[in-house]
Amino acid sequence: MTVPEFRPSHVVPPDGMATWAAPDAARPLVPLDPLLPVEVVERRGDWALARCSNGWSAWVDGRLLLSVPQGPPAAGQPAARTADPRPLLAAAEGALGRYRQWVEELLAGQLDRETFAERARGTRIGAVVDGDAVWLYDARHERWCFCDGASLVTFAVSEGPTTDGDTTDAAGVERAAGAERREDAGKRDRPTAERFPPPVDRPGDRP
């Protein structure tokens, strides 16, 4: 049996990474070592099938993997596309502007507390700016993204992976500009950059 050539595309986060036998959190496996090179061979929503250099593979939360920089494309090949930070910046700016308008109307007596709470329900905004480094919250995909001015990368996630949604960061970030609210306002952020709890097994997630 011929072993496929191993071409690492990502690296495990510095704190290691939990693994599962299938993209449903039902059968946990041994965790991956910190900074271990892996190759993503398949994606299902937030899940990624990571293959190690010895051929062993397991499903992981693909949002937490660190991309390995690739060399320049060969002649005639299209350049790799990185996530454009502008749509997410615009989404955060728009959400903050709407929230400020509601506050202005509340303080001016144009809104009562109940109406203010109803309008603001589900709104989640997060932005930290430190010089040329920016951390933005992507409410649609429940994750924090780091921006260096030119591109976005996932920094931490607040919920477990699902099999819904897109498999590319760029496409997901572009759609985030149109996401104004989340339906469930009762959830709280639970960053998992340092701990990796099993993802929630939701009905319909299993392939």
Side-chain angles (χ1 to χ4, degrees):
M1 180 177 178
T2 302
V3 178
E5 182 181 358
F6 178 69
R7 295 183 177 180
S9 59
H10 295 77
V11 174
V12 173
D15 295 320
M17 198 172 203
T19 67
W20 292 270
D24 58 10
R27 292 179 291 166
L29 300 175
V30 295
L32 294 177
D33 292 335
L35 303 179
L36 177 72
V38 297
E39 180 181 6
V40 172
V41 296
E42 184 180 347
R43 287 187 180 272
R44 294 186 188 178
D46 297 332
W47 294 92
L49 182 59
R51 183 164 62 91
C52 302
S53 59
N54 62 359
W56 186 82
S57 61
W59 290 93
V60 300
D61 186 344
R63 298 169 297 176
L64 298 172
L65 289 171
L66 308 177
S67 297
V68 174
Q70 302 296 321
Q77 297 295 320
R81 184 181 178 204
T82 58
D84 187 340
R86 290 172 294 184
L88 193 53
L89 285 166
E93 183 180 9
L96 184 60
R98 287 188 296 274
Y99 189 84
R100 178 177 177 178
Q101 180 63 34
W102 298 331
V103 171
E104 294 283 358
E105 294 176 1
L106 176 66
L107 296 179
Q110 300 172 359
L111 290 180
D112 55 32
R113 294 290 303 183
E114 183 178 352
T115 303
F116 172 78
E118 177 62 27
R119 291 190 180 183
R121 183 173 292 115
T123 299
R124 307 185 78 190
I125 309 168
V128 178
V129 180
D130 184 9
D132 61 348
V134 178
W135 290 262
L136 298 170
Y137 186 69
D138 180 355
R140 182 180 180 87
H141 297 91
E142 299 175 330
R143 62 182 177 180
W144 280 91
C145 296
F146 173 76
C147 173
D148 60 2
S151 62
L152 283 173
V153 294
T154 300
F155 179 74
V157 296
S158 56
E159 295 294 335
T162 70
T163 53
D164 302 325
D166 305 294
T167 59
T168 57
D169 286 351
V173 170
E174 288 170 358
R175 267 191 293 281
E180 299 179 358
R181 299 184 179 184
R182 293 186 58 233
E183 295 181 358
D184 185 2
K187 291 183 179 179
R188 302 292 182 184
D189 283 352
R190 298 190 298 275
T192 55
E194 297 182 357
R195 55 189 178 84
F196 306 93
V200 177
D201 191 7
R202 304 170 183 169
D205 273 2
R206 299 193 179 189

